[in-house]
Amino acid sequence: MNSVDTALCDLQMQRSARAHGCVLNVAFNLQTVQLANAQLTSTLNSLLAEQASSGSGLTFELTESGLPEAPATSLETLVRLRMMGCRLSIDDFGAGFSSLQRLCQLPFNEIKLDADFIHNLAHEPRCRAAISSTLALGEALGMSVVIEGIETAAQRRELLALGCTQGQGYWYARPMAGVDLLNWLQRRNHGKGTDE
């Protein structure tokens, strides 16, 4: 299945979730070579029109390590995606080598902090400081911060105490097929979720 087919399947699942009263943001990993594709935004516009969806329900994730490789022409694609209402996320933040200057230059509106920080939170005080600093940086830059790799209730409590409002990881749910995800969303939407 190519990336267009994958995007179409995900948008169809998003539309099904919406029909059942569930809001579902769909995130896609975006490779540097895809970002340089001049047809990316026009193809995406066509898919969104087909599925009666808007860009606001999509997040495109680009790894921090891929940012230095991104040619200057890719900035135009990033700006177009933002103009379409899409969210742009720097994935695995803290694991790569990009500078804070690059973070300020590119039109991202979300930072996904690498899971290694949460895995070492309990026994490494510097990880707590890095998480707190990233949360403060995100707030100062007007960017949301998502903490990756939350696996336990204790980790979730610690992150809430630090001011984290968004996270992902096995504590919330394991990866699942689209049909299972729709069922899981419906159960949560009807008050039967366990991660409130």
Side-chain angles (χ1 to χ4, degrees):
M1 186 179 290
N2 66 36
S3 57
V4 173
D5 291 337
T6 301
L8 181 59
C9 287
D10 289 346
L11 288 171
Q12 289 170 338
M13 184 176 55
Q14 184 185 51
R15 188 174 68 182
S16 294
R18 194 170 52 240
H20 288 92
C22 299
V23 177
L24 179 63
N25 182 288
V26 178
F28 297 94
N29 290 318
L30 191 60
Q31 304 301 317
T32 307
V33 67
Q34 292 170 308
L35 190 61
N37 180 349
Q39 299 302 312
L40 177 67
T41 53
S42 60
T43 300
L44 180 60
N45 264 325
S46 297
L47 288 173
L48 288 170
E50 257 179 54
Q51 297 302 312
S53 295
S54 71
S56 63
L58 303 178
T59 300
F60 290 93
E61 300 178 1
L62 185 67
T63 60
E64 181 186 14
S65 59
L67 291 177
E69 302 167 16
T73 55
S74 297
L75 179 59
E76 184 179 333
T77 301
L78 290 172
V79 170
R80 284 185 179 162
L81 289 170
R82 287 286 285 126
M83 289 174 67
M84 292 169 58
C86 302
R87 296 187 58 79
L88 298 176
S89 180
I90 297 179
D91 197 12
D92 297 332
F93 187 76
F97 301 102
S98 69
S99 68
L100 291 177
Q101 181 181 28
R102 196 83 160 126
L103 179 65
C104 294
Q105 291 171 340
L106 298 173
F108 286 89
N109 56 353
E110 180 180 279
I111 298 169
K112 289 186 79 176
L113 191 63
D114 189 69
D116 281 346
F117 292 98
I118 189 66
H119 293 154
N120 296 313
L121 180 61
H123 56 275
E124 179 54 63
R126 289 183 178 192
C127 287
R128 174 181 283 277
I131 292 169
S132 292
S133 296
T134 304
L135 290 168
L137 177 65
E139 184 175 351
L141 294 176
M143 299 173 75
S144 59
V145 177
V146 178
I147 309 292
E148 298 179 306
I150 302 170
E151 296 181 352
T152 68
Q155 289 172 335
R156 180 177 177 266
R157 281 192 301 273
E158 279 196 70
L159 291 172
L160 287 171
L162 291 173
C164 176
T165 59
Q166 296 183 55
Q168 76 178 54
Y170 288 166
W171 190 83
Y172 296 101
R174 299 264 176 185
M176 61 187 84
V179 173
D180 296 330
L181 174 62
L182 292 175
N183 290 331
W184 182 82
L185 286 169
Q186 285 181 309
R187 285 193 307 272
R188 285 195 69 228
N189 200 38
H190 291 98
K192 295 178 184 171
T194 58
D195 60 334
E196 300 301 325

